[in-house]
Amino acid sequence: MRTQVAIIGSGPSGLLLGQLLTEAGIDNVILDRVGKDHILGRVRAGVLEEGTVGLMEKAKSGARLHAEGLPHDGFSLAFDGRDHRIDLYGLTGGKRVTVYGQTELTRDLMAYREQSSATTIFDAANVQPHDFEGIAPYVTYEKDGVTHRVDCDFIAGCDGFHGASRKSVPEKSIRSFEKIYPFGWLGLLADVPPVNHELVYANHPRGFALCSMRSMTRSRYYIQCPLDEKIENWSDDRFWDELRHRLPEHHAEALITGASFEKSIAPLRSFVAEPMRFGRLFLVGDAAHIVPPTGAKGLNLAASDVHYLFSGLAEHYQDRSNAGLEAYSTHALARVWKAVRFSWWMTTMMHRFPDTSDFDQKIQEAELDYLTHSRAASTALAENYVGLPY
Ligand code: FAD
Ligand code: DHB
């Protein structure tokens, strides 16, 4: 098989890139090691920046997002028994975020791809990029015991943190930076109305909590937990009790509980691989970087990488210029590091670390108090939260 761009990974970054390329008339093939249902079974991010929404529109995949996504003009920071609203819209001169689950965004992109003639190969085993330092790269994979080969001009490694793309780069050509946090997030999804019409990020001596949502009838809640916590130890009742402890009284009293239908634990990590381009192989999204979820940046960073790579590929095919592709790594990494810094800062300010003392707790509360009462500090938070420009 031959294509112009071989895309490894059918998560949000691979699908979004594929859809933009298809719309621009650039042939592409997507390969994923698992099937569609497996991909759609993952519950992950929920907050989209305007840039991400704009890319969904550009990919002609934004109709349901516009109909069902919830525009949010602010969120709350809760600490020391009170909460303060951060007026995203007012502080940023009219910017907002959209609450729409990654699962739904992925479902929309898959549905649009199915309507096109673009090829997607699911359940492809042993996907491997080859010869990307030369001019004739290719990808091999196995299906039903047979090895296949996809010849291409470029390879986009959109295969997440554990994928094959980054691992195929010789160690001497890549540098990685990593920070592992000593806790995880226990997340729960339930068909109950959200406790507040906007998100609530809570700092509490018992640990961080986040009240999010997927719709006005479906809530997504998270609580900080130890890294070695076992999901079996968390009945719904225990989760709801712990969440109530960590919220200011007026939210705890308003909390509507119910049976969960998803519960999972995610570890928290910051990771960046540099560079993001190796000849004709480009790393995109989680394949190149991971942020802790606190600032809701993971999916949005994957989207900004797609923006830079798509622009470079379109320039290559339409204008016969490689300038955008050559600048891909520099442009993407400049934005990535700012989001890595923001996510690390939000995580550090909002969580209880194993060695957090009463002094450290007071310092966190003083920082939150300053943040919520200084217009300059609130503006810096708001402009990062809604997303820095591409
Ligand atoms: P992925 O979504 O990881 O997609 C990669 C795709 O590649 C997958 O479909 C996978 O099956 C495929 N693949 C992997 N290996 C191979 C291979 N060898 N060959 C072929 N295909 C392969 N972000 C937030 O902003 N907020 C959150 O609350 C949040 N929660 C998260 C919870 C968890 C458990 C995780 C793991 C991530 C979370 N994130 C969150 C981050 C966000 O979901 C990611 O940033 C986003 O999914 C990145 O998209 P991606 O397409 O780059 O990678
Ligand atoms: C969600 C996840 C986040 O990490 C975040 O900061 C906000 C919302 C969510 O899953 O809804």
Side-chain angles (χ1 to χ4, degrees), residues 80-159:
D80 196 21
R82 28 192 179 123
D83 73 346
H84 290 268
R85 182 170 187 266
I86 300 293
D87 176 11
L88 294 173
Y89 193 84
L91 291 164
T92 60
K95 294 206 165 75
R96 45 168 61 113
V97 293
T98 301
V99 173
Y100 191 68
Q102 175 172 333
T103 317
E104 299 314 308
L105 176 141
T106 308
R107 193 189 306 282
D108 295 346
L109 287 165
M110 281 183 173
Y112 281 93
R113 189 168 179 88
E114 276 166 16
Q115 286 169 19
S116 74
S117 56
T119 307
T120 311
I121 300 155
F122 290 114
D123 301 309
N126 250 329
V127 180
Q128 200 57 50
H130 301 271
D131 287 0
F132 44 82
E133 290 294 353
I135 53 162
Y138 63 98
V139 176
T140 54
Y141 68 96
E142 288 162 23
K143 187 140 175 141
D144 304 323
V146 182
T147 302
H148 301 264
R149 170 175 171 144
V150 183
D151 289 285
C152 55
D153 301 332
F154 299 102
I155 302 172
C158 303
D159 48 353

Side-chain angles (χ1 to χ4, degrees), residues 35-109:
K36 196 175 152 178
D37 291 346
H38 188 285
I39 295 167
L40 290 175
R42 300 175 182 139
V43 179
R44 290 186 177 176
V47 175
L48 307 184
E49 296 171 357
E50 284 183 1
T52 307
V53 173
L55 282 170
M56 286 293 284
E57 286 161 4
K58 192 168 169 178
K60 304 272 191 303
S61 308
R64 196 162 69 96
L65 192 164
H66 275 300
E68 296 176 19
L70 304 172
H72 279 205
D73 291 350
F75 67 85
S76 285
L77 283 173
F79 59 100
D80 196 21
R82 28 192 179 123
D83 73 346
H84 290 268
R85 182 170 187 266
I86 300 293
D87 176 11
L88 294 173
Y89 193 84
L91 291 164
T92 60
K95 294 206 165 75
R96 45 168 61 113
V97 293
T98 301
V99 173
Y100 191 68
Q102 175 172 333
T103 317
E104 299 314 308
L105 176 141
T106 308
R107 193 189 306 282
D108 295 346
L109 287 165

Side-chain angles (χ1 to χ4, degrees), residues 73-265:
D73 291 350
F75 67 85
S76 285
L77 283 173
F79 59 100
D80 196 21
R82 28 192 179 123
D83 73 346
H84 290 268
R85 182 170 187 266
I86 300 293
D87 176 11
L88 294 173
Y89 193 84
L91 291 164
T92 60
K95 294 206 165 75
R96 45 168 61 113
V97 293
T98 301
V99 173
Y100 191 68
Q102 175 172 333
T103 317
E104 299 314 308
L105 176 141
T106 308
R107 193 189 306 282
D108 295 346
L109 287 165
M110 281 183 173
Y112 281 93
R113 189 168 179 88
E114 276 166 16
Q115 286 169 19
S116 74
S117 56
T119 307
T120 311
I121 300 155
F122 290 114
D123 301 309
N126 250 329
V127 180
Q128 200 57 50
H130 301 271
D131 287 0
F132 44 82
E133 290 294 353
I135 53 162
Y138 63 98
V139 176
T140 54
Y141 68 96
E142 288 162 23
K143 187 140 175 141
D144 304 323
V146 182
T147 302
H148 301 264
R149 170 175 171 144
V150 183
D151 289 285
C152 55
D153 301 332
F154 299 102
I155 302 172
C158 303
D159 48 353
F161 184 66
H162 299 287
S165 301
R166 195 180 69 253
K167 287 185 196 140
S168 69
V169 174
E171 247 177 62
K172 62 176 173 34
S173 312
I174 195 163
R175 183 160 178 216
S176 51
F177 303 82
E178 186 168 47
K179 184 173 181 67
I180 310 248
Y181 299 87
F183 39 74
W185 278 19
L186 169 59
L188 172 149
L189 203 52
D191 277 330
V192 289
V195 69
N196 190 43
H197 68 291
E198 292 176 343
L199 271 59
V200 181
Y201 289 80
N203 169 298
H204 191 275
R206 293 176 73 102
F208 170 76
L210 169 60
C211 308
S212 183
M213 64 190 76
R214 291 291 175 270
S215 68
M216 292 320 286
T217 55
R218 180 168 291 182
S219 297
R220 178 73 167 157
Y221 292 110
Y222 297 95
I223 52 175
Q224 175 188 347
C225 66
L227 260 185
D228 56 0
E229 192 60 79
K230 299 267 174 302
I231 202 88
E232 316 74 270
N233 294 339
W234 285 87
S235 64
D236 287 357
D237 284 346
R238 183 176 173 206
F239 184 97
W240 294 123
D241 280 347
E242 188 56 41
L243 178 62
R244 261 191 224 100
H245 275 300
R246 297 184 188 189
L247 297 178
E249 212 174 307
H250 62 289
H251 288 318
E253 279 169 6
L255 185 72
I256 300 177
T257 63
S260 72
F261 61 91
E262 198 270 350
K263 231 186 264 158
S264 51
I265 294 178

